[in-house]
Amino acid sequence: MAEELLDQARDLVDGQIDFEGQKLAELLTTVILSAIGLVAFVVGFFLQDIALALKIGLAGTALAFVVIVPPWPFFNRHPVKWLPIGGGAAAAATQQNIVIDEKMFAQH
């Protein structure tokens, strides 16, 4: 039973994220932290309360952490399709063509 719980926790933490998901995560991080920083500065400036500004900034950072760090499924909408492992009989039978500077080369 403990092993099943450990496997579920491992599956939750070991999520996948693709290259487009990384780009989205970087964009979300920049937008969330910039917006929260601006809001914290404006509120702290107008209310003249540095403690409130720091609390808003800390809450916004926690929000960014919750949105960005877990491997949410929307970060893996474009999974990478890797080439098959070479060296086997199937790989020896297939021929791949590579185009470099408009010249085609056959790779075995």
Side-chain angles (χ1 to χ4, degrees):
M1 180 163 164
E3 188 68 30
E4 292 173 9
L5 290 174
L6 186 60
D7 287 339
Q8 289 175 354
R10 212 177 281 135
D11 288 341
L12 213 109
V13 174
D14 289 340
Q16 297 293 318
I17 180 171
D18 58 27
F19 295 118
E20 292 295 321
Q22 289 176 355
K23 186 177 176 181
L24 177 63
E26 182 180 351
L27 177 69
L28 284 173
T29 302
T30 303
V31 168
I32 291 172
L33 291 178
S34 297
I36 291 299
L38 183 66
V39 168
F41 175 77
V42 169
V43 168
F45 181 77
F46 283 112
L47 297 179
Q48 292 294 304
D49 189 356
I50 189 83
L52 180 61
L54 289 173
K55 289 176 186 175
I56 292 171
L58 184 61
T61 303
L63 173 70
F65 182 84
V66 168
V67 171
I68 303 302
V69 172
W72 299 109
F74 63 87
F75 287 137
N76 197 22
R77 288 187 183 160
H78 309 283
V80 177
K81 293 181 174 71
W82 299 100
L83 293 175
I85 297 173
T94 62
Q95 179 178 354
Q96 298 177 356
N97 295 324
I98 299 173
V99 178
I100 300 174
D101 293 332
E102 299 178 7
K103 296 177 185 175
M104 186 174 294
F105 299 94
Q107 181 183 13
H108 300 283

